[in-house]
Amino acid sequence: MITIVRRLLFFTALIAIWEIIYKLDVFGTRMFPSPLLSFVELYKGFFETGILTVALTTSLGRIGLGFALAVIIGSILGIILATSKIADETLGSLVVALQSVPSIVWLPLALVMFQGGTTAILFVIVLGGTWPMTMNVRMGIKNVQPLLIRAARTMGYKGYELIWKVMIPASIPSALTGVRLSWAFGWRALMAAELLGRGGLGRTLLDARDFFNMELVIAIMIIIAVIGLIVEYCIFNPIERKVLSRWGYAK
């Protein structure tokens, strides 16, 4: 409860500072609208015009599918890299190289390959989220305590049984970090891809800028940030606490 109160006070202070900057006309009232106007635009977008409702629904559908694919593909790749030395030395080096490539760089290629549309956006999301998931699953399996593996082998576990029943379960905390990073990179990739795509929060943001509707621009930025907070504190944090408690890492 104390943490919630502190956060509420902090964000209230930020809004107050925002209002002061608006009143002082530091950046120009048209370029930097007031909090009230931005929140009014939020209300209109959801409850009057419905433009933000449609955009948010579209974006959430895309990130849901893209994120799921990234986690599945990344987990499979991570397991392969962690259990095969040849794959780690060859495919692993490619994964290391690709994870340094910003997601937005793939967008021109995606537009050419898939002629734009949702498929191109999903392609960018998957590429953005797959590599961090891959690397964290790989490191999680490779960092399983050797004593645990030796103990499992003395109990008769070997081959795929050792991997599925011992190494993968022991790497869950690291995989959870990969899931969190996969979401973060995928969400950013989605916003970038939608700037050049159709529909969604990213495209609506670009359209609002073109019509110089800065209130809507800031309203969409608030939505993007709030979605990030909701996913982090309402989904990942509770899961993380349960996993750490289950694995004996809870404080």
Side-chain angles (χ1 to χ4, degrees), residues 191-211:
M191 293 301 110
E194 285 184 339
L195 291 174
L196 298 180
R198 295 180 180 178
L201 291 173
R203 185 66 201 187
T204 306
L205 178 69
L206 187 62
D207 292 340
R209 187 213 63 178
D210 292 340
F211 286 101

Side-chain angles (χ1 to χ4, degrees), residues 7 10 33 37 50 84-85 90 144 147 156 168 207 209 216 221 225-226 233 243 248:
R7 285 172 180 160
F10 173 73
L37 293 175
S84 172
K85 184 177 181 181
T90 54
V144 174
L147 181 62
I168 291 179
D207 292 340
R209 187 213 63 178
L216 182 56
M221 292 172 63
V226 168
Y233 290 116
V243 169

Side-chain angles (χ1 to χ4, degrees), residues 77-78 80-100 131 134-135 138-139 142:
L77 287 176
I80 292 173
L81 297 184
T83 56
S84 172
K85 184 177 181 181
I86 295 177
D88 194 30
E89 292 176 349
T90 54
L91 180 60
S93 60
L94 177 62
V95 172
V96 172
L98 290 178
Q99 73 171 347
S100 64
W131 314 133
T134 300
M135 297 307 296
R138 172 187 176 275
M139 290 305 299
K142 280 186 168 292

Side-chain angles (χ1 to χ4, degrees), residues 32 63 124 148 156 176 190:
F32 194 80
I63 188 61
V124 175
L148 181 62
L176 179 59
L190 169 66

